[in-house]
């Protein structure tokens, strides 16, 4: 885990050297969802972005999550919430890479939908994707993220879609903790750009 954070800090330091300094902030809205005939999840995340320079943004986040289940004919649902911190490195208004940590209150075990011992689910997503700013009014990030922790009570488990099957029997052997996300970032105030 320590090596992952070290590699992330080295990569972001390579992107953060620039001759200009950007001051400003953004408010982000993140949408996430996934569903099947057994249940699903939908969440809305709010992110505050402190813009350190044209290539790096970070800040706190807050999430509201709705999950539902219809396993074995028993319908259940829950509303969850949580918060965390995140950091994204942006490259030439085309790509981004980032790390996002959140603690989400979810007392349910997503495997069997029973009340578990853990009331909080830690998530540590690492990933990236496409990032584009349009007319300095909105930035859209489309990304794929991998949950390094993959807690058994993570509310995102029901939306993991990449399944590894046995080639002979066709049985699902493993479900990879990968999700898709879309983020919209809106500038707050004026973004100033000063030459150093």
């Amino acid at each position: 885990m320590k090596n992952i954070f070290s590699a992330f800090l080295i990569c972001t330091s390579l992107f953060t050297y620039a001759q200009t300094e950007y001051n400003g902030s953004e408010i982000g809205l993140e949408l996430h969802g996934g569903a099947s005939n057994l249940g699903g999840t939908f969440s809305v995340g709010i992110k505050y972005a402190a813009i350190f320079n044209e290539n790096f943004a970070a800040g706190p986040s807050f999430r509201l999550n709705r999950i539902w289940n219809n396993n074995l004919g028993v319908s259940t649902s829950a509303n969850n919430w949580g918060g965390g911190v995140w950091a994204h490195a942006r490259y030439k208004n085309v790509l981004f890479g980032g790390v996002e940590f959140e603690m989400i209150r979810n007392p349910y075990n997503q495997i069997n939908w029973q009340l578990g011992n853990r009331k909080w689910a830690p998530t540590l997503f690492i990933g990236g994707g496409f990032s584009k700013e349009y007319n300095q009014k909105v930035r859209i990030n489309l990304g794929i993220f991998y949950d390094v922790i993959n807690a058994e009570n993570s509310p995102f488990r029901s939306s993991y879609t990449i399944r590894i099957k046995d080639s002979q029997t066709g049985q699902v052997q493993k479900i990879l903790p990968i999700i898709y996300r879309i983020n919209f970032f809106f500038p707050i105030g004026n973004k100033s750009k000063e030459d150093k």
Side-chain angles (χ1 to χ4, degrees), residues 165-173:
K165 295 184 178 180
D166 184 284
S167 60
Q168 295 175 349
T169 64
Q171 296 285 333
V172 175
Q173 299 294 314

Side-chain angles (χ1 to χ4, degrees), residues 119-144:
K119 295 203 184 314
W120 291 89
T123 62
L124 178 61
F125 286 104
I126 296 176
F130 298 103
S131 178
K132 180 77 174 162
E133 184 178 50
Y134 294 95
N135 299 326
Q136 297 184 344
K137 295 189 187 306
V138 64
R139 172 179 293 278
I140 300 175
N141 287 0
L142 299 170
I144 299 174

Side-chain angles (χ1 to χ4, degrees), residues 3-185:
N3 293 337
I4 293 172
F5 286 120
S6 299
F8 176 74
L9 290 175
I10 290 170
C11 289
T12 55
S13 67
L14 294 174
F15 292 121
T16 57
Y17 177 77
Q19 293 298 316
T20 58
E21 182 177 300
Y22 284 72
N23 296 319
S25 57
E26 297 171 343
I27 191 79
L29 176 67
E30 176 187 297
L31 304 174
H32 162 264
S36 72
N37 58 347
L38 297 177
T41 181
F42 177 78
S43 68
V44 176
I46 306 292
K47 294 179 176 177
Y48 171 77
I51 309 299
F52 296 102
N53 61 40
E54 65 180 311
N55 297 318
F56 191 72
S61 63
F62 178 77
R63 178 174 306 282
L64 292 173
N65 185 274
R66 172 82 174 161
I67 55 177
W68 64 93
N69 185 36
N70 189 23
N71 195 10
L72 302 174
V74 178
S75 296
T76 53
S77 62
N79 294 318
N80 304 311
W81 55 273
V85 293
W86 63 276
H88 288 177
R90 300 168 175 173
Y91 181 69
K92 293 193 175 187
N93 202 27
V94 176
L95 299 173
F96 82 97
V99 62
E100 302 179 3
F101 175 79
E102 288 183 337
M103 290 290 285
I104 301 172
R105 186 186 176 281
N106 184 23
Y108 296 100
N109 182 320
Q110 293 299 110
I111 297 170
N112 57 18
W113 201 255
Q114 300 297 317
L115 281 173
N117 295 331
R118 300 176 68 181
K119 295 203 184 314
W120 291 89
T123 62
L124 178 61
F125 286 104
I126 296 176
F130 298 103
S131 178
K132 180 77 174 162
E133 184 178 50
Y134 294 95
N135 299 326
Q136 297 184 344
K137 295 189 187 306
V138 64
R139 172 179 293 278
I140 300 175
N141 287 0
L142 299 170
I144 299 174
F145 286 86
Y146 181 88
D147 187 359
V148 176
I149 297 174
N150 192 18
E152 66 182 21
N153 63 332
S154 171
F156 295 108
R157 285 183 82 102
S158 61
S159 61
Y160 298 157
T161 57
I162 298 177
R163 302 169 191 272
I164 298 174
K165 295 184 178 180
D166 184 284
S167 60
Q168 295 175 349
T169 64
Q171 296 285 333
V172 175
Q173 299 294 314
K174 188 175 186 181
I175 300 174
L176 298 178
I178 296 174
I179 64 168
Y180 306 98
R181 284 185 171 168
I182 183 168
N183 288 274
F184 300 92
F185 288 99

